[in-house]
Amino acid sequence: MSFFRKREPPASGPGAELPRAAVCFTTPAMTRRAADWLGRLGGCRPLAILSDDFDDVVWNCEAEGADLLVLEMDFSNGVEDKDVSGRCDIAAEVRKRRPECRVYLVCEEGHPEKLAALDKAVELTLIDGYCIGDLDPQQMRAWLAEAAESMRAAESRDTEFRREEK
């Protein structure tokens, strides 16, 4: 038995059609809390990525088949890899490996100087959106709905492609 075997989502039945929502916050404790919150919120299959190292996040998203990734940013001095550009680097690599995965950033309030960079990241489609301050259930449900729609569109494209192959 391989400990690193990819876990397959259920082929059918309850939960099969729900997006796989990966969360990665700046500390493992916050990541666990976010995954638990998503589990209670419902509408997804939550996944906690406990390491926010670039390679770990990308690998987990690919291995677990993430449909949505929520990354927390840290604007503390000297924490450049968790700033907008560092998180956009992760988003780009995740999308390279999982083109249908939607990526959102969450950041604390009190950093208006970052707003232009966040808006530009959305404009350049490096990320799908962001939230400043507390992520509320309504916003998360909207992101989950967008991820579910992307899943349906990808499934539709795959079905069409298989028909054309025959």
Side-chain angles (χ1 to χ4, degrees):
M1 177 176 171
S2 171
F3 288 107
F4 299 106
R5 188 183 75 202
K6 179 180 175 183
R7 285 183 247 150
E8 294 295 326
S12 62
E17 66 287 344
L18 296 176
R20 184 77 170 155
V23 292
C24 183
F25 281 65
T26 56
T27 66
M30 286 299 296
T31 300
R32 285 187 196 101
R33 286 181 60 201
D36 290 346
W37 179 75
L38 278 175
R40 287 189 305 276
L41 185 65
C44 69
R45 295 175 290 144
L47 165 69
I49 302 175
L50 299 178
S51 166
D52 66 355
D53 175 73
F54 179 97
D55 291 328
D56 291 341
V57 175
V58 172
W59 183 85
N60 273 283
C61 286
E62 184 177 28
E64 297 291 343
D67 301 301
L68 178 145
L69 171 61
V70 177
L71 291 167
E72 183 184 34
M73 293 185 296
D74 184 348
F75 297 137
S76 303
N77 288 334
V79 187
E80 294 172 9
D81 65 329
K82 295 177 182 117
D83 203 341
V84 178
S85 63
R87 294 311 201 189
C88 286
D89 289 344
I90 291 173
E93 191 60 30
V94 166
R95 284 189 160 165
K96 189 184 299 181
R97 297 180 189 197
R98 294 215 27 94
E100 65 280 1
C101 185
R102 301 190 59 88
V103 182
Y104 301 94
L105 302 182
V106 176
C107 57
E108 63 188 28
E109 290 184 87
H111 297 279
E113 72 280 4
K114 303 296 182 178
L115 191 56
L118 290 164
D119 287 338
K120 192 66 169 177
V122 171
E123 180 184 324
L124 296 173
T125 63
L126 299 173
I127 59 172
D128 294 291
Y130 62 88
C131 174
I132 296 174
D134 293 335
L135 180 58
D136 66 33
Q138 182 179 352
Q139 181 63 61
M140 192 65 224
R141 284 188 182 102
W143 289 351
L144 288 168
E146 290 172 10
E149 181 58 37
S150 289
M151 288 172 55
R152 285 189 290 276
E155 185 177 303
S156 204
R157 283 190 303 274
D158 289 347
T159 302
E160 185 64 31
F161 179 73
R162 285 192 295 270
R163 269 191 250 154
E164 290 175 4
E165 281 185 330
K166 292 180 182 182

